[in-house]
Short mmCIF file of all heavy atoms in Angstrom, two decimals:
data_model
loop_
_atom_site.label_atom_id
_atom_site.label_comp_id
_atom_site.label_asym_id
_atom_site.label_seq_id
_atom_site.Cartn_x
_atom_site.Cartn_y
_atom_site.Cartn_z
N ASN A 854 -28.93 -5.28 -2.14
CA ASN A 854 -28.93 -4.53 -0.88
C ASN A 854 -30.32 -4.01 -0.55
O ASN A 854 -30.96 -3.35 -1.38
CB ASN A 854 -27.93 -3.37 -0.98
CG ASN A 854 -27.70 -2.71 0.36
OD1 ASN A 854 -28.50 -1.91 0.81
ND2 ASN A 854 -26.61 -3.08 1.00
N PRO A 855 -30.83 -4.25 0.67
CA PRO A 855 -32.19 -3.82 1.02
C PRO A 855 -32.37 -2.31 1.04
O PRO A 855 -33.47 -1.83 0.79
CB PRO A 855 -32.41 -4.43 2.41
CG PRO A 855 -31.04 -4.73 2.94
CD PRO A 855 -30.20 -5.04 1.76
N LEU A 856 -31.30 -1.55 1.31
CA LEU A 856 -31.43 -0.10 1.29
C LEU A 856 -31.80 0.38 -0.11
O LEU A 856 -32.66 1.26 -0.26
CB LEU A 856 -30.14 0.57 1.76
CG LEU A 856 -30.12 2.11 1.66
CD1 LEU A 856 -31.18 2.72 2.57
CD2 LEU A 856 -28.74 2.65 2.00
N MET A 857 -31.15 -0.18 -1.12
CA MET A 857 -31.45 0.24 -2.48
C MET A 857 -32.90 -0.08 -2.84
O MET A 857 -33.60 0.73 -3.46
CB MET A 857 -30.50 -0.45 -3.47
CG MET A 857 -29.04 -0.09 -3.28
SD MET A 857 -28.73 1.69 -3.34
CE MET A 857 -29.24 2.07 -5.02
N HIS A 858 -33.37 -1.26 -2.42
CA HIS A 858 -34.76 -1.62 -2.69
C HIS A 858 -35.72 -0.65 -1.98
O HIS A 858 -36.72 -0.21 -2.55
CB HIS A 858 -35.04 -3.05 -2.22
CG HIS A 858 -34.25 -4.08 -2.96
ND1 HIS A 858 -34.14 -5.38 -2.54
CD2 HIS A 858 -33.53 -4.00 -4.10
CE1 HIS A 858 -33.39 -6.06 -3.38
NE2 HIS A 858 -33.01 -5.24 -4.34
N THR A 859 -35.39 -0.31 -0.73
CA THR A 859 -36.23 0.60 0.04
C THR A 859 -36.28 1.98 -0.62
O THR A 859 -37.36 2.58 -0.74
CB THR A 859 -35.70 0.72 1.48
OG1 THR A 859 -35.76 -0.56 2.11
CG2 THR A 859 -36.54 1.70 2.29
N LEU A 860 -35.14 2.49 -1.04
CA LEU A 860 -35.09 3.81 -1.66
C LEU A 860 -35.81 3.82 -3.01
O LEU A 860 -36.54 4.76 -3.33
CB LEU A 860 -33.63 4.25 -1.85
CG LEU A 860 -32.84 4.55 -0.57
CD1 LEU A 860 -31.38 4.84 -0.91
CD2 LEU A 860 -33.45 5.72 0.20
N GLN A 861 -35.62 2.78 -3.79
CA GLN A 861 -36.26 2.72 -5.11
C GLN A 861 -37.77 2.61 -5.00
O GLN A 861 -38.49 3.02 -5.92
CB GLN A 861 -35.68 1.54 -5.90
CG GLN A 861 -34.26 1.78 -6.36
CD GLN A 861 -33.55 0.51 -6.79
OE1 GLN A 861 -34.08 -0.60 -6.64
NE2 GLN A 861 -32.35 0.66 -7.30
N ASN A 862 -38.26 2.08 -3.86
CA ASN A 862 -39.70 1.93 -3.67
C ASN A 862 -40.32 3.08 -2.88
O ASN A 862 -41.47 3.00 -2.47
CB ASN A 862 -40.00 0.59 -2.97
CG ASN A 862 -39.69 -0.60 -3.86
OD1 ASN A 862 -39.91 -0.55 -5.06
ND2 ASN A 862 -39.17 -1.67 -3.27
N GLY A 863 -39.53 4.14 -2.66
CA GLY A 863 -40.05 5.30 -1.95
C GLY A 863 -39.87 5.18 -0.45
O GLY A 863 -40.84 4.95 0.29
N ALA A 864 -38.65 5.35 0.01
CA ALA A 864 -38.33 5.17 1.42
C ALA A 864 -38.93 6.28 2.28
O ALA A 864 -39.15 7.40 1.82
CB ALA A 864 -36.81 5.15 1.61
N HIS A 865 -39.18 5.96 3.55
CA HIS A 865 -39.60 6.96 4.52
C HIS A 865 -38.52 8.04 4.59
O HIS A 865 -37.33 7.79 4.41
CB HIS A 865 -39.77 6.30 5.89
CG HIS A 865 -40.42 7.21 6.92
ND1 HIS A 865 -39.70 8.17 7.60
CD2 HIS A 865 -41.70 7.29 7.36
CE1 HIS A 865 -40.51 8.81 8.43
NE2 HIS A 865 -41.73 8.29 8.29
N LYS A 866 -38.94 9.26 4.86
CA LYS A 866 -38.00 10.39 4.89
C LYS A 866 -36.86 10.15 5.88
O LYS A 866 -35.73 10.58 5.65
CB LYS A 866 -38.75 11.68 5.24
CG LYS A 866 -37.86 12.93 5.16
CD LYS A 866 -38.67 14.19 5.42
CE LYS A 866 -37.80 15.43 5.34
NZ LYS A 866 -38.58 16.68 5.58
N ASN A 867 -37.16 9.48 7.01
CA ASN A 867 -36.12 9.23 8.00
C ASN A 867 -34.98 8.40 7.42
O ASN A 867 -33.81 8.62 7.74
CB ASN A 867 -36.70 8.51 9.22
CG ASN A 867 -37.40 9.48 10.16
OD1 ASN A 867 -37.40 10.69 9.93
ND2 ASN A 867 -37.99 8.95 11.22
N VAL A 868 -35.31 7.43 6.57
CA VAL A 868 -34.27 6.62 5.94
C VAL A 868 -33.43 7.48 5.00
O VAL A 868 -32.20 7.36 4.95
CB VAL A 868 -34.88 5.43 5.19
CG1 VAL A 868 -33.81 4.65 4.43
CG2 VAL A 868 -35.60 4.50 6.15
N GLN A 869 -34.10 8.38 4.28
CA GLN A 869 -33.38 9.26 3.37
C GLN A 869 -32.44 10.19 4.14
O GLN A 869 -31.30 10.43 3.73
CB GLN A 869 -34.37 10.07 2.54
CG GLN A 869 -35.27 9.20 1.65
CD GLN A 869 -36.24 10.02 0.83
OE1 GLN A 869 -35.88 11.09 0.33
NE2 GLN A 869 -37.47 9.54 0.70
N ILE A 870 -32.91 10.72 5.27
CA ILE A 870 -32.05 11.54 6.12
C ILE A 870 -30.88 10.70 6.64
O ILE A 870 -29.73 11.16 6.70
CB ILE A 870 -32.84 12.13 7.30
CG1 ILE A 870 -33.90 13.11 6.78
CG2 ILE A 870 -31.91 12.84 8.28
CD1 ILE A 870 -34.85 13.61 7.85
N GLY A 871 -31.18 9.45 7.01
CA GLY A 871 -30.14 8.57 7.52
C GLY A 871 -29.02 8.34 6.52
O GLY A 871 -27.84 8.26 6.89
N VAL A 872 -29.37 8.24 5.25
CA VAL A 872 -28.35 8.09 4.21
C VAL A 872 -27.37 9.26 4.26
O VAL A 872 -26.15 9.09 4.22
CB VAL A 872 -29.00 7.99 2.81
CG1 VAL A 872 -27.94 8.11 1.71
CG2 VAL A 872 -29.78 6.70 2.66
#
Side-chain angles (χ1 to χ4, degrees):
N854 190 280
L856 175 63
M857 298 305 297
H858 296 167
T859 298
L860 292 174
Q861 288 163 354
N862 291 323
H865 189 280
K866 185 176 180 180
N867 280 357
V868 175
Q869 298 180 39
I870 295 172
V872 169

